[in-house]
């Protein structure tokens, strides 16, 4: 396992994140991957092609993405290890891997929703939450904005923090890159629109599979963090996960959302509107559904301690490995 590399990536990302200067000058690795997927969507997903042909091309895209990320990851690892010592290589590769973690950026985006509600009212909250969710913000009241922010925090804790770190531990930089490529493809083409029902099928199914371990781990980290957050309940988090996680339309998102709902005594998910269409999802939890910015702040405290719990476990694995 690549636990030393994972710990380096966690510490670097927590300390500096991905500098905005780099985003402006060279972009972000996910943006580069997204550009490739968008090109394939334009050129390989013709509206006049058959369902079978479009699905086959979508599968080919996923396979090419995985092969390409494997080659990039192995190549970068070989080059760095060839020119640097063991510890220097760990730091350099950890810095590269840190760009694919989202601890700081997720925290900042969700905190911006609380800031918007507190400083600018409902309009400010709607503008901020529109940056992180796909549902129609103009249809959301204060409770809806707050729930959307907390649900995004829980789901992206799994997708953007726990999952890439898990695959970094298991497969090094190549494993992490492959995960991010597939996850990015799912977010871009994996939805059930008429255009992407066939072309995005492979990306969506594979993303469900590779997120299974992390979704369960994320619920565990949230439950662990609830042990030390005031007015949070670890036992309730685990109880709601056991009862409600499988009721979510996603095989993975229900785990962190149910854990967050149970830990904080909230009710999350439920019916919501995406692009003008009502989606009747099941509720996660049986607590309060009337939420505000203070509940977002509580969720952020829980999230930060869940990130810390994950880091402590990774650090412990490093110590065990070196003893």
């Amino acid at each position: 396992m690549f636990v030393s590399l994972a710990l380096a990536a966690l510490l670097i990302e927590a300390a500096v994140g991905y500098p905005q200067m780099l985003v402006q000058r060279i972009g972000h690795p996910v943006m580069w991957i997204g550009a490739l997927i968008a090109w394939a969507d334009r050129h390989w997903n013709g509206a006049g092609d058959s369902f079978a042909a479009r699905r086959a091309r979508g599968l080919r895209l996923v396979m090419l993405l995985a092969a390409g990320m494997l080659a990039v990851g192995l190549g970068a690892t070989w080059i760095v290890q060839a020119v640097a010592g063991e510890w220097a290589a760990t730091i350099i590769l950890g810095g590269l891997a840190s760009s694919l973690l989202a601890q700081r950026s997720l925290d900042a985006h969700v905190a911006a929703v609380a800031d918007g509600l507190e400083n600018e009212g409902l309009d400010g909250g709607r503008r901020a939450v529109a940056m992180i969710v796909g549902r129609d913000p103009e249809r959301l009241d204060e409770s809806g904005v707050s729930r959307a922010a907390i649900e995004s925090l829980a789901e992206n804790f799994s997708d953007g923090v726990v999952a890439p770190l898990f695959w970094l531990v298991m497969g090094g930089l190549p494993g992490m890159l492959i995960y991010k490529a597939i996850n990015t493809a799912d977010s871009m083409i994996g939805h059930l629109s008429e255009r992407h029902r066939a072309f995005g099928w492979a990306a969506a199914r594979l993303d469900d599979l590779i997120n299974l371990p992390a979704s369960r781990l994320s619920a565990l980290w949230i439950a662990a963090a609830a042990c030390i957050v005031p007015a949070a309940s670890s036992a309730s988090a685990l109880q709601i996960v056991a009862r409600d996680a499988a009721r979510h339309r996603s095989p993975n998102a229900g785990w962190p959302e149910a854990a967050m709902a149970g830990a904080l005594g909230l009710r999350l998910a439920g019916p919501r509107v995406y692009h003008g269409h009502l989606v009747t999802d099941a509720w996660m939890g049986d607590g309060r559904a009337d939420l505000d910015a203070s509940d977002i702040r509580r969720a952020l405290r829980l999230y930060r301690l869940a990130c810390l719990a994950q880091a402590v476990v990774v650090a412990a694995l490093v110590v065990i490995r070196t003893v």
Side-chain angles (χ1 to χ4, degrees), residues 4-216:
S4 297
L5 178 58
L7 182 60
L10 275 177
L11 294 177
I12 293 169
E13 197 275 343
V16 300
Y18 191 82
Q20 187 61 30
M21 177 187 68
L22 288 181
V23 175
Q24 294 171 348
R25 292 192 174 184
I26 64 172
H28 186 277
V30 171
M31 296 167 61
W32 308 335
I33 295 169
L36 289 173
I37 296 166
W39 181 91
D41 188 24
R42 290 193 304 270
H43 291 85
W44 295 355
N45 188 22
D49 297 328
S50 69
F51 185 94
R54 293 161 74 183
R55 190 158 88 164
R57 289 175 192 151
L59 176 59
R60 181 174 64 181
L61 170 63
V62 168
M63 294 173 66
L64 289 173
L65 283 172
M69 293 303 103
L70 177 64
V72 169
L74 289 174
T77 301
W78 183 84
I79 291 170
V80 171
Q81 290 178 340
V83 301
E86 180 180 354
W87 286 106
T90 298
I91 299 301
I92 295 169
L93 290 171
L96 294 174
S98 72
S99 68
L100 301 176
L101 293 171
Q103 290 179 117
R104 286 173 63 95
S105 61
L106 177 57
D107 188 292
H109 279 94
V110 174
V113 181
D115 292 341
L117 287 172
E118 292 168 346
N119 300 326
E120 303 176 53
L122 182 56
D123 287 341
R126 284 172 171 169
R127 282 194 299 272
V129 85
M131 303 295 292
I132 58 174
V133 299
R135 66 196 72 175
D136 299 338
E138 66 275 6
R139 295 175 178 264
L140 299 175
D141 58 11
E142 184 178 18
S143 292
V145 168
S146 300
R147 280 200 307 274
I150 296 170
E151 290 159 14
S152 180
L153 179 66
E155 183 175 355
N156 284 292
F157 173 52
S158 177
D159 288 0
V161 180
V162 180
L165 190 75
F166 174 84
W167 290 109
L168 179 60
V169 169
M170 300 305 295
L173 187 59
M176 191 186 207
L177 281 166
I178 291 170
Y179 168 77
K180 288 302 293 186
I182 294 169
N183 184 247
T184 303
D186 175 65
S187 67
M188 293 180 65
I189 62 173
H191 38 85
L192 292 176
S193 66
E194 195 58 39
R195 173 172 178 80
H196 292 122
R197 191 180 302 274
F199 190 65
W201 173 85
R205 298 290 76 76
L206 188 53
D207 185 71
D208 286 344
L209 179 63
I210 62 176
N211 272 299
L212 279 171
S215 63
R216 279 66 176 168

Side-chain angles (χ1 to χ4, degrees), residues 203-316:
R205 298 290 76 76
L206 188 53
D207 185 71
D208 286 344
L209 179 63
I210 62 176
N211 272 299
L212 279 171
S215 63
R216 279 66 176 168
L217 276 174
S218 63
L220 179 62
W221 302 146
I222 290 171
C227 293
I228 52 177
V229 172
S233 170
S234 178
S236 180
L238 295 174
Q239 178 186 358
I240 296 302
V241 166
R243 191 192 72 185
D244 291 347
R247 299 170 59 207
H248 200 284
R249 61 189 169 92
S250 164
N252 297 312
W255 289 74
E257 286 189 25
M260 186 75 76
L264 298 177
L266 307 178
R267 196 156 50 127
L268 300 176
R272 45 254 177 105
V273 177
Y274 289 91
H275 306 296
H277 300 288
L278 177 65
V279 177
T280 55
D281 283 341
W283 288 101
M284 301 285 108
D286 49 16
R288 291 184 297 109
D290 186 16
L291 312 184
D292 57 27
S294 66
D295 294 299
I296 301 176
R297 302 290 186 195
R298 292 174 62 220
L300 281 167
R301 285 195 292 272
L302 187 63
Y303 161 76
R304 291 162 187 160
L305 286 169
C307 289
L308 179 60
Q310 176 175 243
V312 167
V313 171
V314 172

